[in-house]
Amino acid sequence: MSTGEPGPPTGGDRSGGKQPGGTEPSGVDLARVALRAAKEQARARGDAARQKKQARRGGGLRSGARADGRDPMALGAAINRLLTERGWETPAAVGGVMGRWPQIVGADLANHCVPQRYDEDERVLTVQCDSTAWATQLRVLAPTLVARLNEDLGHGTVRMIKVLNPGGPARRYGPLRAPGSTGPGDTYG
């Protein structure tokens, strides 16, 4: 081959560029380059499909010998986990205090004053009393009760106790109502 034309390649440059002698790659080398590119694209598509599949399955968790988040758990542990995840610890603790109200405030006060609700945003415990005398007594004891509740629940859980006076009988409106009267509210409260 003395004509100056390049001969067939001898084994090949796998880079896909020109041969070391400055010649263009021939058919076999071009096929190798195309095959390598196709394999890389297929691998990239496979990785993407595998990631999508794992996301659908929950991150690729598989059942096995080791514990994971899908294992069965005791009811108490499941409830505690739910309270923690949802941020319900404080309302649940205050609900427990409402159940133990007689032990916290004493039997006498518990017989006449009942906790009604707890406002989590304002940190106010509302208590209903059955007479104005017991409402006054609870207002006097409120700072002590707030301190005792905060010892039990954690500092700052209850900021204030709101004391409600007794409610009177249901208001009835009818023809015998005096103008300007507030009904039983004139007597109670």
Side-chain angles (χ1 to χ4, degrees):
M1 287 207 197
S2 58
T3 60
E5 290 189 24
T10 59
D13 179 23
R14 295 186 181 193
S15 67
K18 291 190 171 190
Q19 297 287 333
T23 61
E24 292 290 323
S26 67
V28 175
D29 290 329
L30 288 175
R32 285 184 184 140
V33 170
L35 178 62
R36 185 179 314 116
K39 284 182 178 180
E40 289 175 6
Q41 289 173 354
R43 187 177 304 123
R45 282 194 310 269
D47 289 343
R50 191 176 317 115
Q51 287 174 355
K52 284 182 184 178
K53 196 173 196 181
Q54 284 179 349
R56 279 193 306 252
R57 287 184 181 168
L61 293 176
R62 305 252 190 262
S63 63
R66 291 182 186 84
D68 63 13
R70 301 172 302 149
D71 288 343
M73 60 176 50
L75 181 62
I79 290 174
N80 288 338
R81 180 176 165 187
L82 180 68
L83 290 174
T84 303
E85 287 174 356
R86 303 284 171 105
W88 293 341
E89 294 100 346
T90 301
V94 172
V97 165
M98 289 182 178
R100 295 181 294 125
W101 184 250
Q103 290 85 18
I104 293 172
V105 299
D108 269 351
L109 196 59
N111 287 336
H112 300 283
C113 303
V114 179
Q116 296 293 316
R117 64 186 161 273
Y118 175 71
D119 183 4
E120 187 177 359
D121 296 331
E122 297 291 324
R123 298 187 321 256
V124 174
L125 179 65
T126 305
V127 179
Q128 175 85 44
C129 296
D130 63 1
S131 72
T132 55
W134 281 105
T136 303
Q137 182 68 23
L138 186 61
R139 284 186 187 99
V140 170
L141 294 173
T144 307
L145 290 176
V146 167
R148 190 179 301 167
L149 289 169
N150 283 332
E151 283 177 20
D152 209 16
L153 300 171
H155 182 69
T157 304
V158 178
R159 188 176 54 83
M160 184 176 105
I161 293 179
K162 181 179 177 182
V163 181
L164 300 177
N165 286 324
R171 297 187 182 203
R172 294 178 17 209
Y173 298 101
L176 300 177
R177 184 163 178 240
S181 169
T182 58
D186 289 343
T187 309
Y188 297 100

